[in-house]
């Protein structure tokens, strides 16, 4: 899945196009700016098949059209203390609700050392790491969770009940890029399986289970006759441990927030109703910043000096490969697969938006 035909574009070109397109869909200037930045950041980190880059505009187009996304939605704080808040996103763009919630958590962490915000009635918020990184850029440790469409079966079952429920964790560094762990709680995702199917590639046998609960390396075993519909369930990371984490995440982001959960969340394109959890932790509450950073770099040096299995291989930190991809994209251009480019051109023409791709 690495030899995918792509075109390379300057980041600014993609950002401005995304802003213009979102504005044409009805997004406010602020909403378009936040969402475009999230989409282009995801594209810059280049994870083919995960659907978080420019192809995310496909889903947003549908949701703007069917009322699943409400432009100009109120970010309503329903309950609040100095340390926590419960927010109703009112069907806002997920990137917008998530970013505003994390910024609110950061404000609270500056005051009381830790801030947590639960969001209800939101939409898919893109990469979890994008929101965790908001905290890291503010000098905070960020922790993010969200729920989504049921794709994971309880361990030992073959019926999906829980989502891949992504986590994002970011730790600020003065000496370099922040730690950034951005992960789903599944071994893979539907998008990756569909990508492998389209590209004629095999997949590892620990990614997914077929509809009848078998393992297979043939992605065709997970795709219906229409060539698009996914059948089967995702396997969780760490087997039963990942299942437990997915369940825990849905309790916090779905049950506790007041959003949908389990079998009902994310099933209606006009009402995804997902929940998010954002937490910011202020390291300055526990020790002087310089001391924390010095201790952090000592740990990093120990990790980096670990003996590699293969001589000469480098040991990477969480988020380091994505950081390197993003830096390369800034120099060489952001990759967008050619099939996505063709579709974006068609969609732009339909809506009277100039497409520079």
């Amino acid at each position: 899945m690495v030899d995918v035909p792509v075109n390379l574009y300057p980041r600014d070109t993609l950002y401005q196009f995304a802003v213009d397109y979102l504005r044409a869909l009805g997004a406010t200037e602020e909403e378009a700016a936040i969402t475009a930045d999230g989409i282009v950041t995801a594209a810059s980190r280049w994870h083919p098949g995960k659907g978080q880059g420019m192809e995310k505009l496909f889903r947003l187009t549908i949701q703007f059209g069917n009322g699943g996304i409400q432009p100009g939605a109120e970010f309503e704080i329903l309950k609040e203390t100095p340390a926590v808040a419960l927010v109703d996103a009112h069907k806002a763009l997920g990137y917008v609700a998530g970013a505003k919630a994390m910024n609110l958590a950061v404000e609270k962490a500056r005051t009381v050392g830790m801030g947590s915000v639960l969001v209800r009635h939101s939409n898919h918020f893109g990469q979890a790491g994008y929101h965790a990184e908001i905290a890291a850029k503010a000098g905070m440790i960020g922790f993010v969770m969200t729920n989504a469409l049921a794709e994971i079966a309880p361990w030992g079952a073959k019926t999906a009940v829980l989502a891949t429920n992504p986590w994002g964790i970011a730790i600020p560094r003065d000496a370099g890029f922040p730690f950034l762990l951005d992960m789903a709680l599944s071994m893979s995702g539907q998008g990756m399986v569909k990508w492998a199917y389209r590209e004629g590639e095999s997949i590892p046998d620990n990614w997914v289970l077929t509809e009848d609960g078998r393992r297979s390396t043939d992605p065709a075993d997970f795709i219906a006759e229409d060539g698009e519909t996914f059948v089967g369930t995702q396997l969780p990371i760490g087997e039963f441990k990942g299942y437990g984490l997915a369940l825990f995440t849905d309790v916090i982001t779905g049950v506790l927030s007041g959003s949908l959960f389990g079998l009902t969340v994310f099933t209606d394109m006009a009402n995804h109703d997902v929940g998010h959890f954002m937490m910011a932790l202020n390291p300055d509450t526990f020790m002087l910043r310089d001391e924390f950073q010095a201790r952090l770099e000592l740990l990093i040096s120990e990790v980096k000096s670990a003996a590699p299995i293969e001589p000469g291989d480098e040991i990477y930190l969480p988020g380091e490969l994505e950081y390197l991809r993003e830096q390369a994209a800034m120099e060489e251009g952001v990759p967008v697969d050619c099939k996505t480019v063709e579709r974006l051109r068609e969609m732009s023409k339909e809506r009277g938006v100039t497409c520079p791709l």
Side-chain angles (χ1 to χ4, degrees):
M1 287 186 284
V2 293
D3 297 325
V4 179
V6 299
N7 291 342
L8 300 177
Y9 301 98
R11 183 186 178 111
D12 289 347
T13 298
L14 292 179
Y15 171 80
Q16 190 57 57
F17 166 69
V19 166
D20 293 343
Y21 187 84
L22 289 164
R23 292 285 281 154
L25 292 179
T28 67
E29 185 174 344
E30 178 189 37
E31 291 169 341
I34 293 172
T35 305
D37 185 64
I39 289 172
V40 175
T41 297
S44 300
R45 291 169 182 173
W46 185 231
H47 287 287
K50 291 195 175 179
Q52 302 301 330
M54 298 301 291
E55 61 272 24
K56 190 166 182 63
L57 291 172
F58 305 158
R59 177 188 295 272
L60 297 184
T61 300
I62 296 172
Q63 289 187 278
F64 268 102
N66 67 14
I69 290 174
Q70 293 296 320
E74 179 185 5
F75 184 78
E76 182 184 7
I77 299 176
L78 302 175
K79 297 181 181 180
E80 188 173 23
T81 73
V84 303
L86 173 65
V87 173
D88 192 324
H90 292 292
K91 290 189 172 184
L93 283 150
Y95 264 117
V96 176
K100 288 184 175 181
M102 181 52 89
N103 280 314
L104 178 57
V106 166
E107 288 177 20
K108 292 181 177 298
R110 286 199 178 102
T111 303
V112 296
M114 180 183 294
S116 298
V117 178
L118 267 174
V119 182
R120 63 169 59 162
H121 307 326
S122 185
N123 278 290
H124 192 286
F125 70 179
Q127 290 190 316
Y130 178 84
H131 303 285
E133 197 171 15
I134 291 173
K137 289 177 179 176
M140 310 280 180
I141 295 171
F143 176 46
V144 173
M145 298 187 296
T146 189
N147 65 356
L149 178 69
E151 298 181 32
I152 292 178
W155 190 248
K158 61 182 182 180
T159 302
V161 176
L162 302 166
T164 60
N165 291 350
W167 285 22
I169 304 173
I171 300 176
R173 288 179 64 204
D174 289 345
F177 60 91
F179 282 173
L180 185 58
L181 178 63
D182 187 324
M183 67 176 190
L185 298 181
S186 60
M187 290 298 295
S188 181
Q190 291 187 13
M192 295 297 290
V193 178
K194 290 179 180 179
W195 188 283
Y197 175 75
R198 290 193 300 267
E199 300 300 318
E201 301 276 354
S202 62
I203 60 173
D205 72 351
N206 65 344
W207 274 18
V208 282
L209 293 177
T210 62
E211 199 167 12
D212 57 358
R214 296 181 299 103
R215 297 192 181 211
S216 174
T217 60
D218 184 354
D221 290 338
F222 309 97
I223 307 297
E225 291 183 0
D226 62 8
E228 291 292 333
T229 305
F230 179 86
V231 293
T233 59
Q234 309 297 322
L235 278 167
I237 62 172
E239 300 184 334
F240 63 90
K241 297 177 183 179
Y243 150 57
L245 292 175
L247 178 58
F248 164 79
T249 302
D250 211 9
V251 170
I252 301 299
T253 60
V255 176
L256 185 61
S257 75
S259 286
L260 294 178
F261 53 85
L263 295 173
T264 56
V265 64
F266 219 83
T267 56
D268 182 354
M269 283 291 281
N271 185 36
H272 277 171
D273 198 4
V274 300
H276 316 310
F277 173 76
M278 307 283 172
M279 183 181 77
L281 178 66
N282 189 348
D284 298 349
T285 307
F286 303 93
M287 64 175 56
L288 294 174
R289 183 184 182 90
D290 288 348
E291 181 183 3
F292 171 64
Q293 288 296 321
R295 290 169 61 83
L296 180 62
E297 293 307 315
L298 177 58
L299 176 59
I300 289 172
S301 68
E302 292 176 353
V303 170
K304 284 286 194 178
S305 63
I309 295 173
E310 297 295 335
D313 280 1
E314 185 171 354
I315 306 302
Y316 292 100
L317 299 172
E320 186 169 2
L321 289 173
E322 289 80 4
Y323 171 79
L324 293 173
R325 289 192 200 104
E326 190 169 12
Q327 294 304 300
M330 294 291 286
E331 297 269 340
E332 303 163 7
V334 178
V336 183
D337 75 272
C338 295
K339 292 180 181 177
T340 295
V341 171
E342 291 174 7
R343 191 169 171 187
L344 288 173
R345 288 170 178 167
E346 294 172 1
M347 292 166 56
S348 299
K349 187 176 180 180
E350 292 171 1
R351 288 159 186 81
V353 177
T354 301
C355 182
L357 309 184

